[in-house]
Amino acid sequence: MSATLTDKYPNYSPGLEGVIAGISTISEIDSDRSSLQYRGYDVHDLAEHGSFEETAHLLIYGKLPNASELASFKKTLTDERDVPEAVYTALKALPKTTHPMDMIRTAYSVLAPFDPDYAAPATDDAANVRKAVRIIAKAGTMVANGHRIRQGLEPLKPNPEHGIAENFLYLMSGEQPPAKTIEVMDASLTLYAEHGYNASTFACRVTVATLSDLYSGIVTGIGTLHGPLHGGANEEAMKMILDIGTPDKAQAWIDDALEGKKKIMGFGHREYKKRDSRAIYLTKVAKELGVEKGDTRFGDIADILEKTMEDRKSIYPNVDFPAAYAYYLLGIPIDLYTPIFVIARVSGWSAHALEQLRNNRLIRPKCIYEGAANLPYVPLAQR
Ligand SMILES: CC(C)(COP(=O)(O)OP(=O)(O)OC[C@H]1O[C@@H](n2cnc3c(N)ncnc32)[C@H](O)[C@@H]1OP(=O)(O)O)[C@@H](O)C(=O)NCCC(=O)NCCS
């Protein structure tokens, strides 16, 4: 964007930066205090003391559940966790090289017509809440079984005893995951659940605001999340860390990268100009995990990158940076990192879709036309 155009159109903000596009009661990002709250609760408290199911309930129903509400919500999630065979048939038909983000996007498309509320009008709030719960319940099953399918393995049945984090880990590996792995996964799902008007959430709201259906909003969200400037950054961050390899190579690597004006994946944020609150908590968790596993090389690489980025650019890690090496230490394949983000963020997308539809207005901004005008039409034979 040239300076002349921004001068000429003072109301134009490239990338909608700083533009207020809605009013929401779902989450609040406070950039100065590096804080993130979901419906008034600090995410650190939710991640440390609660469960992802509590967070999902908070986002969808607007309140933290009491014990009986939580038990009933968990039971519904368990009852809804299975997936129609047609979803697996479709995933089996995809090339084995299909990225798991494309698999989960496809899975939701196939799933939509099987929803018992498929025929309900887009504005039927009660039906949308039921759909949202089904969407949240099935995400982990579809990502994990999609992973099995691309390895030529058969999908596994979810174990009704498992919560969302445990279900995903169990189906992904076919083995009972250790308690610490479940705990870290659960906390990361809470941290990834919701984040205001980020690109994928905004895209989801744009879709449902046309009175298209909730599943289409989710599919839109997944497509938007996939890019490396958004959710795809956690995968790119891990590839970068592995490319660096060992802490003794980190300083030269980052010096080179900055010299070459490279974007450092997992750093920077449109909303946080100081620290990303989620990264503060997850860095602590990821480093503890490294110590526990006797492998502190990623935490050591992270320290060098973080210090250099802070000193030279005043840019800090975002949630995707510690999430990347935490997931790696948990033994999760790199291309499942962004799909894990989906397992969490379907709760935030759904909450936003419900909010949008309860007070809907078509989202339709303007653009400035800067192209040619009033050209005479030249017949094809004369061009
Ligand atoms: C997230 C992101 C897209 C936000 O971008 P933004 O608000 O549009 O900010 P910009 O990309 O315009 O960056 C502003 C400046 O900071 C620099 N910058 C921002 N993030 C950077 C990064 N990760 N590495 C190096 N420089 C970075 C830009 O180069 C730019 O510098 P300049 O003004 O000298 O050109 C950006 O920080 C980024 O691309 N990060 C890497 C991808 C990532 O981790 N995404 C996940 C976000 S949760």
Side-chain angles (χ1 to χ4, degrees):
M1 187 68 214
S2 73
T4 25
L5 275 185
T6 37
D7 290 349
K8 191 166 156 193
Y9 304 111
N11 291 334
Y12 168 45
S13 176
L16 299 183
E17 186 164 357
V19 170
I20 295 168
I23 293 176
S24 177
T25 61
I26 301 170
S27 67
E28 185 187 25
I29 299 167
D30 184 333
S31 175
D32 289 335
R33 288 176 46 237
S34 289
S35 112
L36 171 63
Q37 300 197 345
Y38 298 162
R39 299 201 188 273
Y41 296 97
D42 194 291
V43 283
H44 293 186
D45 288 337
L46 294 168
E48 199 160 355
H49 307 299
S51 63
F52 174 64
E53 282 81 355
E54 283 178 59
T55 291
H57 188 285
L58 174 68
L59 294 171
I60 299 301
Y61 297 102
K63 69 187 277 277
L64 275 180
N66 62 27
S68 77
E69 286 165 338
L70 183 61
S72 141
F73 185 53
K74 282 185 172 174
K75 165 135 187 10
T76 311
L77 289 171
T78 305
D79 292 347
E80 295 287 359
R81 194 156 289 152
D82 253 330
V83 172
E85 196 51 40
V87 171
Y88 297 138
T89 306
L91 295 183
K92 284 175 187 171
L94 297 173
K96 292 281 177 277
T97 49
T98 305
H99 190 282
M101 279 298 276
D102 296 326
M103 295 183 91
I104 185 67
R105 195 194 60 228
T106 304
Y108 274 112
S109 289
V110 177
L111 184 62
F114 290 91
D115 191 294
D117 287 301
Y118 180 60
T123 49
D124 182 336
D125 189 62
N128 284 336
V129 171
R130 289 192 296 272
K131 283 184 187 171
V133 173
R134 293 182 194 118
I135 283 166
I136 295 165
K138 294 181 200 312
T141 306
M142 296 196 297
V143 172
N145 275 332
H147 176 59
R148 298 185 69 78
I149 286 168
R150 70 186 172 137
Q151 298 172 92
L153 301 170
E154 274 307 305
L156 286 177
K157 276 246 165 253
N159 177 337
E161 302 293 310
H162 291 167
I164 286 180
E166 191 171 3
N167 173 61
F168 163 71
L169 291 162
Y170 163 69
L171 296 181
M172 180 198 76
S173 64
E175 286 165 15
Q176 179 56 36
K180 180 72 183 176
T181 303
I182 301 167
E183 190 192 309
V184 174
M185 179 55 59
D186 189 76
S188 77
L189 292 181
T190 293
L191 294 172
Y192 266 137
E194 156 58 12
H195 211 215
Y197 268 38
N198 58 84
S200 56
T201 301
F202 188 61
C204 171
R205 288 188 79 128
V206 170
T207 297
V208 299
T210 67
L211 301 188
S212 177
D213 69 304
L214 187 51
Y215 282 88
S216 297
I218 297 297
V219 170
T220 301
I222 296 170
T224 311
L225 187 71
H226 194 172
L229 296 188
H230 191 8
N234 54 15
E235 297 181 18
E236 295 308 315
M238 194 62 225
K239 289 180 202 157
M240 176 187 84
I241 294 170
L242 290 175
D243 185 39
I244 296 170
T246 48
D248 58 305
K249 303 210 178 95
Q251 193 61 57
W253 189 94
I254 184 85
D255 290 344
D256 250 27
L258 291 180
E259 179 75 27
K261 303 225 169 295
K262 260 199 198 162
K263 275 254 168 113
I264 314 302
M265 288 295 137
F267 280 81
H269 202 278
R270 175 67 65 80
E271 286 297 311
Y272 296 107
K273 292 309 169 201
K274 295 180 186 164
R275 291 178 190 277
D276 175 340
S277 62
R278 304 164 301 171
I280 300 170
Y281 179 76
L282 209 53
T283 299
K284 179 174 131 322
V285 171
K287 286 195 173 160
E288 282 169 7
L289 201 59
V291 172
E292 229 175 83
K293 303 242 171 208
D295 185 355
T296 54
R297 80 200 134 119
F298 304 131
D300 295 341
I301 291 173
D303 284 342
I304 295 164
L305 265 48
E306 284 175 29
K307 181 157 187 349
T308 309
M309 287 297 278
E310 181 177 351
D311 289 351
R312 299 216 200 130
K313 311 256 316 170
S314 298
I315 293 177
Y316 300 91
N318 57 56
V319 65
D320 292 319
F321 191 61
Y325 60 95
Y327 291 157
Y328 195 84
L329 288 165
L330 295 181
I332 295 168
I334 294 174
D335 60 5
L336 291 185
Y337 296 3
T338 318
I340 291 171
F341 196 153
V342 172
I343 299 170
R345 190 55 66 84
V346 285
S347 61
W349 291 331
S350 297
H352 276 272
L354 292 167
E355 185 177 68
Q356 179 68 35
L357 288 167
R358 283 171 189 161
N359 188 16
N360 193 41
R361 183 152 171 84
L362 180 75
I363 299 171
R364 204 312 184 186
K366 275 184 176 304
C367 70
I368 296 156
Y369 179 68
E370 276 278 333
N374 304 321
L375 301 178
Y377 179 79
V378 181
L380 189 58
Q382 291 167 31
R383 271 178 259 154

